[in-house]
Structures are given as structure tokens and as C-alpha cells.
Amino acid sequence: MDWRGLSYYGGMACRTYFCPSVRQLPARWLAALGQSMDHWHLHGLIVTERKLLAAFFTAVEKRLGRPVEAGRFTAGSRAATWLNQFAALKTDWPHKRTGAPGPGNYFFEDGRYPRPGVWRENDAIPASPVETILAELDSGFASAAALENAQDRITSIIDGLAAELMPR
């Protein structure tokens, strides 16, 4: 189903304006996303998250050692389930920094509302291998343990999807 017509702006906006994701992300990633999302609202929240999607799919492809194949992301497939779990982090992320905006994304690239980096209570909380994903989820951490918990959640999704996409 084409959910663009259900958006606040209607399908006309999507047909006449191409967000940065459409211009800058590989078609295989956008196809995987479009075939996988099982809810229009979650699809609308994640599809404009160019930096978040790029960091996620790049990590998956690095683990795979090759590009993802969009054909593996059919509705209801295990690959689609993993991708939906990742997208759900937009609405179900327990590590949001204090004062972070809601799950929506200002996707215009005019520099008016830059997303801040990951907030850390102190300098003892290290940088993360999934730093870009954490930043794009508006994360904040009061402890290294909280950061480790967040990293584990993200890497388990990346690893699970990569394992699903491995040849059998």
C-alpha cells in the first residue's frame, strides 16, 4: 500500500517534493524500507531519517560484506521484522536525552535545527561505535552502563538482520 496519501500533507507532497532520503540514499535501502514497514506512521517517521538509515544500513552491509538485497525484505519476512524493530526505536527509545523533541524529524537540510550530539553526563562515558545512530535517536547517558545497554540494543538488531540476510 502506498501510505503517502495518508500523511498530513497528502500524497501530492511526496510526488512533488523529494526529501533528502530519496535523493541521497541508495534505492535498495529505500525499497527494503518501503517493503518492510508494517505501519504507516512508523514508515513516515523513519523514511526521512537519512543519517540514521545510512548509519544503520552501512553497519548491516559491513557485517554482511556486501550490499543488502531489497528482495529479502518482503512484508512479514524476518528481515522486515528486524527492520521494523529498528524503526520502532524512533518511538520506543528509552535513552532520549532530556529535552529531546518528539519522534518527528526536521528533514530539510537548511541548517535551521541541527540535531545535537549525544549528551553525556561526564567525560568518563566513552564514544560509541554506533555514535551516529545514538545521536540521530537524540540520546543522552548518565552512565557508561546506560550507554552499553543502548549499544547492545542497537547492535543486536544490526547483528540479527545481518544474520538473517546471510546466504543459507
Side-chain angles (χ1 to χ4, degrees):
M1 172 187 282
D2 184 347
W3 289 330
R4 295 176 296 180
L6 300 176
S7 75
Y8 176 77
Y9 300 103
M12 181 67 148
C14 290
R15 285 189 296 276
T16 59
Y17 172 78
F18 291 104
C19 66
S21 293
V22 170
R23 288 192 317 273
Q24 298 173 14
L25 295 179
R28 68 183 180 279
W29 295 353
L30 294 171
L33 190 66
Q35 294 164 181
S36 296
M37 293 295 95
D38 55 13
H39 193 275
W40 67 269
H41 184 252
L42 190 54
H43 179 265
L45 289 175
I46 195 75
V47 73
T48 61
E49 292 283 356
R50 182 185 58 79
K51 292 176 186 173
L52 179 63
L53 289 170
F56 175 72
F57 278 112
T58 298
V60 171
E61 291 182 344
K62 184 177 180 181
R63 281 174 178 69
L64 282 173
R66 62 172 171 75
V68 297
E69 299 167 14
R72 298 288 303 273
F73 292 85
T74 57
S77 68
R78 290 177 63 166
T81 299
W82 283 112
L83 189 49
N84 272 280
Q85 283 184 31
F86 180 73
L89 296 178
K90 287 288 295 167
T91 58
D92 183 30
W93 186 238
H95 305 284
K96 283 248 186 227
R97 65 179 162 75
T98 303
N105 173 34
Y106 184 79
F107 55 86
F108 299 104
E109 294 185 340
D110 57 14
R112 294 180 73 186
Y113 303 102
R115 189 171 261 149
V118 176
W119 177 84
R120 289 172 170 80
E121 186 169 288
N122 59 60
D123 292 339
I125 302 171
S128 170
V130 291
E131 190 77 13
T132 300
I133 293 173
L134 295 173
E136 293 302 308
L137 289 172
D138 290 316
S139 301
F141 301 101
S143 70
L147 172 64
E148 188 173 330
N149 177 276
Q151 289 175 162
D152 289 349
R153 187 166 178 187
I154 291 167
T155 57
S156 71
I157 294 170
I158 291 168
D159 292 344
L161 177 56
E164 181 60 33
L165 296 174
M166 288 289 186
R168 297 176 200 248

